[in-house]
């Protein structure tokens, strides 16, 4: 019996295929999508003290993301990794072409606008956006975010390894 597939919208570090594969196994497929009415923020408080990605309603803005097909088992693993119930909630967003897509939103109590992403995390987001060919203006907006260095050099080295070997094209 095959596991049902779930459409999962990635907009942060899971944009990068190797990152997602290392976490839950190879996704089945990926499609780039533009979604109006949302804005990307790096304000979700992480256990490591840095800012992680979140999306917030913004009528005059948009985000780009990637819709991956995950098995239910992979989605459950990702829920645990992302900390559903401990900072993120699993939610669904509707897109006219792609239907319902599962994604994550930060709890309001886990948001701090003063936070900055660690450099390795920011690099994962940028690498994923570049890999999927996001438009130049969106890439430019990602580059306006000022990351900070991770105070744990071992974590930085471990996390950055995933982007040191380029992904194959989709």
């Amino acid at each position: 019996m095959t596991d049902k597939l779930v459409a999962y919208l990635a907009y942060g570090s899971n944009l990068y295929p190797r990152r997602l594969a290392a976490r839950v196994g190879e996704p089945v497929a990926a499609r780039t999508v533009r979604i109006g009415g949302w804005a990307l923020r790096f304000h979700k408080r992480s256990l490591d003290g840095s800012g992680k990605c979140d999306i917030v309603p913004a009528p005059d803005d948009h985000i780009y993301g990637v819709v991956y097909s995950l098995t239910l088992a992979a989605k459950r693993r990702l829920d645990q990794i992302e900390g559903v119930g401990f900072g993120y909630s699993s939610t669904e967003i509707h897109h006219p072409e792609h239907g319902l897509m599962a994604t994550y939103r930060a709890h309001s109590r886990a948001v701090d606008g003063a936070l900055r992403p660690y450099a390795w995390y920011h690099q994962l987001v940028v690498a994923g956006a570049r890999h999927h060919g996001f438009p130049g203006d969106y890439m430019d907006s990602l580059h306006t975010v000022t990351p900070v260095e991770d105070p744990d050099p071992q974590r930085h080295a471990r996390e950055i390894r995933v982007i040191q070997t380029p992904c194959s094209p989709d």
Side-chain angles (χ1 to χ4, degrees), residues 89-140:
S89 293
S90 183
T91 190
E92 292 180 324
I93 292 178
H94 182 268
H95 187 273
E97 291 178 42
H98 302 289
L100 285 178
M101 303 172 292
T103 197
Y104 301 100
R105 298 271 325 278
H107 297 161
S108 60
R109 66 184 177 278
V111 168
D112 179 348
L115 291 173
R116 297 288 176 253
Y118 287 147
W120 59 262
Y121 182 84
H122 185 255
Q123 288 174 31
L124 278 169
V125 175
V126 170
R130 184 179 310 113
H131 175 82
H132 292 288
F134 287 7
D137 61 336
Y138 196 78
M139 295 299 297
D140 290 346

Side-chain angles (χ1 to χ4, degrees), residues 50-121:
S50 69
K52 301 294 193 256
C53 285
D54 182 29
I55 54 173
V56 297
D60 297 327
D61 211 339
H62 64 275
I63 62 165
Y64 280 87
V66 173
V67 183
Y68 289 106
S69 294
L70 301 180
T71 64
L72 282 174
K75 174 63 170 72
R76 284 191 291 269
R77 279 193 306 274
L78 193 57
D79 286 351
Q80 290 178 323
I81 291 165
E82 293 293 347
V84 168
F86 302 97
Y88 277 123
S89 293
S90 183
T91 190
E92 292 180 324
I93 292 178
H94 182 268
H95 187 273
E97 291 178 42
H98 302 289
L100 285 178
M101 303 172 292
T103 197
Y104 301 100
R105 298 271 325 278
H107 297 161
S108 60
R109 66 184 177 278
V111 168
D112 179 348
L115 291 173
R116 297 288 176 253
Y118 287 147
W120 59 262
Y121 182 84

Side-chain angles (χ1 to χ4, degrees), residues 4-9 20 24-31 66-72 74-75:
K4 180 183 172 194
L5 295 178
V6 175
Y8 160 61
L9 172 66
L20 187 58
V24 298
E26 291 293 330
V28 176
R31 303 176 303 283
V66 173
V67 183
Y68 289 106
S69 294
L70 301 180
T71 64
L72 282 174
K75 174 63 170 72

